[in-house]
Amino acid sequence: MPGKLKAKIVAGRHLPVMDRASDLTDAFVEVKFGNTTFKTDVFPKSLNPQWNSEWFKFEVDDEDLQDEPLQITVLDHDTYSANDAIGKVYIDIDPLLCSEAATRICGWFPIYDTIHGIRGEINVLVKVDLFNDLNSFRQSSCGVKFFCTTSIPRCYRAALVHGFVEELVVNEDPEYQWIDRIRTPRASNEARQRLISLMSGELQRKIGLKVLEMGGNAVVGYLQCFDLEGESGLVVRAIGTACTLDKLTPGTAPNTNTHSNTAPASNALSKDYSRARVCVRVREFPFFTLTCFPPGFLVHVGGVVSARSVKLLDRIHNPDEPETRDAWWEEIRQEIKSHAKALGCHAVVGYSESTSICEEVCILSASGTAAMLNPRFMREGCLDAGGSDHRFEDASPPSCGFCHIPYDEFNMPFPAQLTYCYRCRRQKVPDVLFTTIDLPAEAAVTGKGCLIQARLCRTKKKAQGEVNATAISNLLPFMEYELHTQLMNKLKLRSMNALFGLRIQISVGENMLLGLASATGVYLSALPAPGGIQVAGKTPSDLNYDQHIATMQKRINDTITKNKELYNIHPPESTEELVGSPIPDRQRSRLFRSTSESSDELLELDLSHGKKDAFVLEIDDTDAVEDIQSLLTDAPMPAGFYSCNTEVMPGIYNWTSGLQMFTSVRVYRLSNANLTNQGLNKIFTELCENLLKSLYFKLRSMIPCCLCHVNFTVAVPEEELIQMGAVRLNCVCVCGCVFVCLFVSGSGENEDQLQFSMELCADSTPSNNQPTSKPSGTPHQPEMSENSLNFNFPELSLRTTACKPRCSPLPEGRSRSLRSTRSMPCGAPVAVVKMTPLSFLPGTRIVKYLGIINMFFIRETTSLREEGGVSGFLHCFIAEVFAMVRAHVAALGGNAVVSYSMKECVFMENPNKNQAQCLINVSGDAVIFVRESEQEATPPLMSSGQISSTGADGTT
């Protein structure tokens, strides 16, 4: 056999009382891998059993080691009846299969039950002996490393980037496949959890096989998603970028965390790629899931390309076969390719795929950024690690090159205003640039960036089958157009000219469609300054109407002036002949020759000459008025706060070393089903803004600070139910304050971890900000209140330290939340596993990647009101998820999770029956980091005290 798995059950603690007569438990453990099961002895009458079992040995193929999780079930022994289940633990063996990986998994794991949650802990020791197998026909991909980060992992060098890899697996969903049609909650949930774990392992193995065929050894930007298609099946999909990575030796490793207080704009945001050798082997049109690249990798960026398709799941002939869905995604990718080629580009970077499913209708979405890559990176063959490569010894690439248009200015795919680059004065650039990638390291930026959101809600009639799919298909193009229009308006209102990290979501419900677009707006120095916004009306002249237009115009002008000061956007004054488009009029008419308007009409509307540059908003119907109102009524950000949805905030470089992460969600039930589009838009906008306001409130003592990596997720899980969440938010505190990392994700998070005052007031608490005159229900907010600062889990007694009455900044280099005040039984302090959606931890250096964490959880309750309603239920569930993630990372010997993501959070509620169910999928990279100030590894979470409270960064 090529592999031997060994497991030992050491002990348990804090088990629940299963025998009411003695208030104790007769616990034993079943250890299962594949079809082989072992059992420990029964430890009678104890809530803290000490099994100290023998080594349970499983001789299996390495293929099974990748597919199967080690399943540990804790049960209560009953003599005269069936044994009662206490809970389960699933341990992924894949992190032990790489040569650089940990040698064992050892620690305390939370025992999890899908009905009762965490029910104690169990101490397990797992080892793997993997033998070399030279069989070329084997179906395992042991040794291929996976990374969730969308940039080249720190402490590695990319020797070769091979290209795009994708795969999907399909199976029947146990939730819909019970023979007797009588659903048992625990049995159904556990069958679903186990199946998804198996499918996830199989998918990862198949992706790894494709990478080995390409000659690579790693997958970077690994994105795995679950599609719950109901009776049509359960689909697990994954995409990534195949690479050949070389481990950097300590003496040659570049400092990839170069966020300094004095870095200039040209290189301050970067990871240091100066000595990284990257080569791309292109077999076909390349897709890259990466969003961050070495300087000079991107020659030109054409802009965002996207494609959407509506499919009927009941048209799948054989739900168990993946071919139909493979064909669907291939159609989407072909469309993306055609869009990119129309822009004169030969690659798509920052690529992602997503779905939204309601009943039998599925919306498939894909988006990325069309780009031209540097041909120096595109040659065949692997680079010699020991040789020199003069490609990377040149001066830094120009800060404007990626902005230059890749397409022919006389045959553009769309009308656009072009100018000469304001940096080099040689090449043409567009007036605005939209991308899905992070801001390139070499980009020259003026002022600061900010988060820009467009929100849209549209009603539709309830229908079935093809009629429903047709109605959705007809709405989609208009929704996407309106979202882009909102983004453009809000971008110009902030005097900015580019968007990075753009993410557009379309979520479908039974009677509505929701659209949410988020991006980071910046002012690129190479692009022309955006002009003002001019309001124009088409209605007959009327005194009141004209006065209304004039008032609106004044508000817009005042807002633009205020935003220039707020974001410190003061571009250098240009001479008249250099401002605006230098394209001669005779050439300009050729650009617009395909349009129906005459050249005279176009020139009459063209206001982009010199200092008259303006963006015209025409008011011709109520929708236009609504757009302008939403443009002007966005809640202003409180003073001292900045936000973006990229990893690094443009224009802010003086980061400090603290780290903290939070999670929040809003579940909103509409009480009025007859709301108009305008009414729904208002509710949706308030829901998004209140979610951010609650975060600003929590961090009010940390001013000045910046929220980074903000990524909202919106869903319509049931009729008249809107769920806001899965918002990854990181907060960077500047001017000497602590770096705070926020993750607003698909579920609620504990605020008792905040290391600053929580002076909650009835008139200022975000949950009380809802107007009393709203025509709809109140949102459920799984966020801690002033009465729950000492929140304890049932049976676990999770404790937190009291918050200080006032936060005071710590000296530079120290972190307020790096270590816990708790101690192990021996008296040694217990370090807490840190968690962040960023690919790095400020002030630290990642020295080792231990593998990816990819976990799926289901939680169900039949006593929703008794558990604190939706807020309490979601809060407890997220707290348990965080505890389990930390435990698995610590068992691998890690002390942090980077690139953490909550990719799925499906919440379903039946208030009439007091029931609720939630499904959550989380992922990230388990790592060991070293603090630069100490140059020694922070101790991982030890085998005791594993379960900590829910401060997302591990503070307690």
Side-chain angles (χ1 to χ4, degrees), residues 284-305:
E284 56 181 17
F285 192 99
F287 287 83
F288 295 91
T289 56
L290 303 179
T291 60
C292 189
F293 304 92
F297 186 89
L298 299 176
V299 178
H300 301 302
V301 171
V304 170
V305 287

Side-chain angles (χ1 to χ4, degrees), residues 651-768:
I652 296 181
Y653 313 119
N654 48 335
W655 293 21
T656 50
S657 59
L659 185 69
Q660 195 165 5
M661 189 175 73
F662 296 86
T663 300
S664 185
V665 72
R666 298 289 174 95
V667 179
Y668 196 101
R669 185 171 294 278
L670 301 174
S671 60
N672 185 355
N674 298 319
L675 287 173
T676 62
N677 286 335
Q678 288 79 6
L680 284 173
N681 277 354
K682 183 179 179 181
I683 292 172
F684 188 28
T685 297
E686 289 176 349
L687 191 59
C688 295
E689 291 182 349
N690 288 338
L691 186 56
L692 284 173
K693 286 178 183 177
S694 68
L695 296 168
Y696 298 144
F697 177 77
K698 297 170 193 175
L699 296 171
R700 67 197 183 282
S701 297
M702 307 297 287
I703 292 175
C705 67
C706 171
L707 313 178
C708 297
H709 216 292
V710 183
N711 282 296
F712 284 73
T713 294
V714 61
V716 192
E718 300 174 15
E719 185 179 1
E720 301 173 4
L721 189 69
I722 301 176
Q723 176 184 320
M724 278 296 306
V727 191
R728 280 168 293 180
L729 240 158
N730 290 304
C731 181
V732 186
C733 290
V734 298
C735 302
C737 291
V738 180
F739 179 105
V740 181
C741 173
L742 295 176
F743 179 95
V744 183
S745 189
S747 298
E749 175 57 85
N750 190 351
E751 276 112 75
D752 60 2
Q753 303 307 308
L754 298 178
Q755 299 298 308
F756 51 85
S757 174
M758 286 291 293
E759 300 162 0
L760 299 178
C761 302
D763 58 348
S764 62
T765 304
S767 59
N768 295 331

Side-chain angles (χ1 to χ4, degrees), residues 658-663 739-743 749-750 752-755 799-801 815-822 829-837 841 878-879 882-883 885-887 889-890 895-897 900 929 938-941 945-956:
L659 185 69
Q660 195 165 5
M661 189 175 73
F662 296 86
T663 300
F739 179 105
V740 181
C741 173
L742 295 176
F743 179 95
E749 175 57 85
N750 190 351
D752 60 2
Q753 303 307 308
L754 298 178
Q755 299 298 308
R799 298 180 180 86
T800 62
T801 59
S815 167
R816 191 190 322 277
S817 57
L818 189 61
R819 295 179 185 270
S820 168
T821 57
R822 293 179 293 114
V830 178
V832 178
V833 171
K834 299 181 102 31
M835 302 174 69
T836 173
L841 292 93
I878 288 298
F882 276 44
V885 169
R886 286 196 179 95
V889 173
N895 55 11
V897 181
Y900 179 83
F929 71 86
T938 302
L941 190 64
Q946 283 280 27
I947 302 181
S948 68
S949 53
T950 63
D953 71 290
T955 45
T956 57

Side-chain angles (χ1 to χ4, degrees), residues 549-836:
I549 293 292
T551 302
M552 194 172 293
Q553 183 71 63
K554 184 177 185 304
R555 289 179 60 192
I556 288 177
N557 294 340
D558 292 344
T559 304
I560 291 176
T561 302
K562 181 180 177 181
N563 284 334
K564 284 184 178 179
E565 295 296 327
L566 176 64
Y567 301 113
N568 197 24
I569 298 176
H570 300 290
E573 291 292 332
S574 300
T575 58
E576 183 71 21
E577 62 269 19
L578 291 178
V579 176
S581 173
I583 303 176
D585 290 342
R586 65 180 183 275
Q587 294 183 9
R588 185 183 302 279
S589 62
R590 292 175 60 188
L591 300 181
F592 295 93
R593 194 167 291 169
S594 61
T595 61
S596 59
E597 294 88 348
S598 67
S599 59
D600 293 337
E601 293 172 331
L602 286 172
L603 290 174
E604 183 179 351
L605 290 176
D606 181 18
L607 301 176
S608 60
H609 285 288
K611 297 186 182 298
K612 296 183 297 181
D613 191 20
F615 184 75
V616 179
L617 286 178
E618 294 186 352
I619 301 180
D620 55 0
D621 55 23
T622 56
D623 288 340
V625 176
E626 179 191 342
D627 284 343
I628 295 179
Q629 292 294 341
S630 67
L631 176 70
L632 296 174
T633 57
D634 264 2
M637 201 177 308
F641 282 100
Y642 303 94
S643 62
C644 65
N645 76 331
T646 50
E647 282 206 339
V648 180
M649 178 68 181
I652 296 181
Y653 313 119
N654 48 335
W655 293 21
T656 50
S657 59
L659 185 69
Q660 195 165 5
M661 189 175 73
F662 296 86
T663 300
S664 185
V665 72
R666 298 289 174 95
V667 179
Y668 196 101
R669 185 171 294 278
L670 301 174
S671 60
N672 185 355
N674 298 319
L675 287 173
T676 62
N677 286 335
Q678 288 79 6
L680 284 173
N681 277 354
K682 183 179 179 181
I683 292 172
F684 188 28
T685 297
E686 289 176 349
L687 191 59
C688 295
E689 291 182 349
N690 288 338
L691 186 56
L692 284 173
K693 286 178 183 177
S694 68
L695 296 168
Y696 298 144
F697 177 77
K698 297 170 193 175
L699 296 171
R700 67 197 183 282
S701 297
M702 307 297 287
I703 292 175
C705 67
C706 171
L707 313 178
C708 297
H709 216 292
V710 183
N711 282 296
F712 284 73
T713 294
V714 61
V716 192
E718 300 174 15
E719 185 179 1
E720 301 173 4
L721 189 69
I722 301 176
Q723 176 184 320
M724 278 296 306
V727 191
R728 280 168 293 180
L729 240 158
N730 290 304
C731 181
V732 186
C733 290
V734 298
C735 302
C737 291
V738 180
F739 179 105
V740 181
C741 173
L742 295 176
F743 179 95
V744 183
S745 189
S747 298
E749 175 57 85
N750 190 351
E751 276 112 75
D752 60 2
Q753 303 307 308
L754 298 178
Q755 299 298 308
F756 51 85
S757 174
M758 286 291 293
E759 300 162 0
L760 299 178
C761 302
D763 58 348
S764 62
T765 304
S767 59
N768 295 331
N769 285 342
Q770 301 291 336
T772 55
S773 58
K774 272 191 181 177
S776 55
T778 358
H780 302 292
Q781 300 173 293
E783 299 172 338
M784 294 299 291
S785 68
E786 54 189 332
N787 297 323
S788 54
L789 293 180
N790 292 318
F791 180 81
N792 293 326
F793 274 113
E795 308 164 43
L796 286 180
S797 185
L798 305 182
R799 298 180 180 86
T800 62
T801 59
C803 293
K804 297 181 181 179
R806 187 66 183 170
C807 166
S808 59
L810 291 181
E812 178 117 11
R814 290 189 59 192
S815 167
R816 191 190 322 277
S817 57
L818 189 61
R819 295 179 185 270
S820 168
T821 57
R822 293 179 293 114
S823 297
M824 295 173 55
C826 61
V830 178
V832 178
V833 171
K834 299 181 102 31
M835 302 174 69
T836 173

